[in-house]
Amino acid sequence: MQVYARLSVSNEVSKMFLKTSFCSVGRALWNKSTVLRPQLPLLNQTVRSVATRKRFYRKTGILHSGSNFEITLDQRKLKTPRGNLFLVDSEPLALAVAAEWDAQKENIVQTSMHLSTLCNTVIDNPNNLNKFDIVQYMLNYIDTDCILFQSGDEDDLYKLQVAEWDPIIQWFCDRFRVDLHKTRNIGGPSVKEETKAVLSKYLMSYNFAALNGFVYGVDTLKSVILTCACVEKVISVEKAVLLSRLEEEFQLGYWGRVEWAHDLSQHDLQARLASTALFIHFNSTSNSIQIKNEMTA
Amino acid sequence: MAMNPNTQMLRSIISELRRASTGSLGDNPLFRYIMGQYRRNQTTQEQICKAREEMQFLANTYLCYLRSSRLQKEISEEFHGKGERTIAETAKMVGFKLPHDPK
């Protein structure tokens, strides 16, 4: 989708050409990657729905309806791509989404609206996932967690990884009372079943919306451990992204920094992870407030 | 006098919000909400320690979100391909002039 967005300013003819060629290539790739997206419709439809639109509203706001909040664009109520009403149950989240729509100046760039994307995914649930599917995805992911693979041949990099990554691994082990072992060769680390059981219990305590946020975070950082550390507010978003890009930063020291590659990806990842952290926070605090009320009642 | 880090964070968030939003900040509901949260937490600062730390983390995260989104947009706008260059632009890039240009 980002590829398409980048292409969209070239002239009409090449746009048509690129659109068709990208779709055929994209669809071929799509059929192969079935990890969490088994039931998505044709890519063509998806591409069409993110085509650039002009901003068509002046003011954005929120409405309080029952225990939920809706977003308004002038007089219209915001809807999801599937046509469902856009509803969230947290006021700050609704305000942040409204601000996100307000931040679109001339065109509506939906690829940059991470909070809206997350809410849409939860409301529409385009992949028909349930909590168990998501938790299973995360449990499988921890086998290839990026901070458990440390450099086997570059000693300077290894030292840096030990200094930066090991405290986080240690925190994870202490927090969940589990045992994790990193690896320095291509054979993956073996994560014990007990570890996965503990992690599964922890993740199941979050609601469906927050778990969707977790998946977004894990896909951003390529690490379940770093995502947990950020969600638990142990490390800041900037720090988590830095740790996830540690090898890139190390190589930058030798080869130099290129703004349109390194800075761009850094800010992209930071925006994604920050939106995830906010999303999980707002979706889990409202939950805990409800539980407390139930207990006192 | 050094500014209180919380105040500094609030000012950064407001400045990012001002850049992001289209209308005036006064009728931005998010701005009013954030100010309300800051005031409320100011009064209970000493009592609920956990909430304050959580608030600082949240404020920092939201600031990071606004700032990174803006910087990412700025970088991609700067380096985004703008289609084909004209002959004059291409010539200028390699230090040539067109035949009818003054020497």
Side-chain angles (χ1 to χ4, degrees):
Chain A
M1 275 177 225
Q2 271 191 330
V3 178
Y4 179 68
R6 251 177 242 147
L7 298 175
S8 62
V9 286
S10 57
N11 63 46
E12 252 344 279
V13 182
S14 68
K15 196 203 275 176
M16 289 312 295
F17 167 72
L18 288 166
K19 195 169 166 187
T20 45
S21 63
F22 169 64
C23 287
S24 50
V25 175
R27 209 174 297 140
L29 287 174
W30 202 258
N31 292 337
K32 286 187 180 170
S33 68
T34 49
V35 189
L36 253 182
R37 312 179 169 84
Q39 289 163 19
L40 222 99
L42 288 178
L43 185 70
N44 217 353
Q45 293 173 358
T46 326
V47 166
R48 202 165 291 144
S49 69
V50 294
T52 327
R53 271 182 298 164
K54 290 260 179 242
R55 178 171 169 148
F56 56 86
Y57 48 89
R58 285 220 176 115
K59 255 180 91 68
T60 64
I62 65 165
L63 278 180
H64 196 188
S65 74
S67 62
N68 293 318
F69 294 89
E70 296 166 10
I71 316 291
T72 55
L73 308 174
D74 287 340
Q75 307 308 322
R76 304 173 190 85
K77 284 181 179 175
L78 180 62
K79 286 188 174 175
T80 64
R82 275 205 177 163
N84 298 318
L85 193 59
F86 191 102
L87 281 176
V88 290
D89 51 10
S90 146
E91 188 186 3
L93 183 59
L95 285 169
V97 170
E100 216 174 56
W101 281 87
D102 192 32
Q104 308 302 311
K105 299 279 152 96
E106 279 184 18
N107 294 320
I108 301 172
V109 188
Q110 282 188 300
T111 47
S112 70
M113 301 162 71
H114 303 303
L115 286 172
S116 308
T117 307
L118 279 164
C119 297
N120 282 334
T121 310
V122 171
I123 296 167
D124 282 353
N125 194 7
N127 306 317
N128 294 320
L129 298 173
N130 56 32
K131 272 175 83 169
F132 294 99
D133 297 331
I134 296 180
V135 170
Q136 201 52 47
Y137 175 75
M138 308 256 289
L139 294 183
N140 291 336
Y141 210 106
I142 199 166
D143 290 324
T144 54
D145 197 296
C146 85
I147 70 170
L148 293 179
F149 283 88
Q150 305 198 345
S151 177
D153 39 41
E154 183 87 54
D155 279 338
D156 288 343
L157 177 59
Y158 179 65
K159 269 185 214 154
L160 185 66
Q161 287 169 338
V162 168
E164 298 287 337
W165 281 351
D166 281 13
I168 305 293
I169 301 178
Q170 193 54 48
W171 166 82
F172 189 85
C173 293
D174 295 344
R175 164 74 177 76
F176 295 105
R177 302 212 180 106
V178 293
D179 213 10
L180 275 180
H181 298 287
K182 58 188 186 181
T183 175
R184 287 193 73 185
N185 55 41
I186 192 123
S190 60
V191 179
K192 288 187 201 144
E193 284 306 313
E194 298 93 76
T195 310
K196 290 193 174 182
V198 173
L199 187 62
S200 158
K201 202 174 161 199
Y202 166 73
L203 290 172
M204 284 306 277
S205 72
Y206 282 92
N207 63 14
F208 179 67
L211 280 178
N212 270 288
F214 264 103
V215 171
Y216 205 70
V218 168
D219 285 344
T220 302
L221 291 176
K222 314 294 178 207
S223 165
V224 178
I225 301 172
L226 287 178
T227 311
C228 288
C230 188
V231 170
E232 294 273 313
K233 306 184 175 65
V234 175
I235 49 175
S236 69
V237 169
E238 289 94 335
K239 176 88 176 166
V241 169
L242 175 72
L243 291 182
S244 163
R245 298 172 60 253
L246 194 65
E247 178 166 1
E248 202 177 319
E249 285 293 331
F250 174 79
Q251 302 292 355
L252 289 184
Y254 283 101
W255 306 106
R257 199 175 173 95
V258 181
E259 196 183 14
W260 47 261
H262 304 124
D263 288 25
L264 188 69
S265 84
Q266 183 193 342
H267 290 303
D268 185 38
L269 297 181
Q270 281 181 4
R272 278 167 195 272
L273 185 66
S275 67
T276 305
L278 292 170
F279 188 75
I280 296 176
H281 178 87
F282 292 136
N283 273 302
S284 39
T285 40
S286 65
N287 210 26
S288 66
I289 289 168
Q290 274 174 2
I291 291 165
K292 264 186 185 170
N293 286 346
E294 274 166 22
M295 276 169 68
T296 49
Chain B
M1 195 180 84
M3 205 193 284
N4 176 350
N6 287 343
T7 319
Q8 209 163 9
M9 179 119 62
L10 178 62
R11 288 179 70 145
S12 311
I13 292 179
I14 292 172
S15 114
E16 290 293 337
L17 263 186
R18 187 172 285 128
R19 287 179 193 227
S21 71
T22 40
S24 77
L25 266 192
D27 32 274
N28 186 330
L30 181 61
F31 170 72
R32 288 201 299 266
Y33 179 85
I34 291 175
M35 291 306 286
Q37 288 292 314
Y38 257 85
R39 290 206 184 99
R40 191 188 305 168
N41 255 51
Q42 208 173 26
T43 53
T44 58
Q45 218 168 33
E46 300 306 318
Q47 292 165 16
I48 318 167
C49 243
K50 185 147 194 276
R52 190 180 57 174
E53 267 169 29
E54 211 172 82
M55 223 50 187
Q56 280 166 349
F57 188 90
L58 266 191
N60 190 31
T61 306
Y62 194 56
L63 175 62
C64 174
Y65 181 54
L66 292 175
R67 190 176 278 162
S68 291
S69 300
R70 174 175 62 83
L71 289 173
Q72 188 215 0
K73 198 170 150 226
E74 280 175 11
I75 296 173
S76 61
E77 266 167 18
E78 188 180 343
F79 292 99
H80 199 297
K82 295 190 178 62
E84 267 186 49
R85 294 186 180 86
T86 62
I87 298 174
E89 275 172 348
T90 317
K92 202 180 162 209
M93 271 174 65
V94 289
F96 290 156
K97 282 180 176 171
L98 297 185
H100 49 73
D101 278 352
K103 288 246 163 79

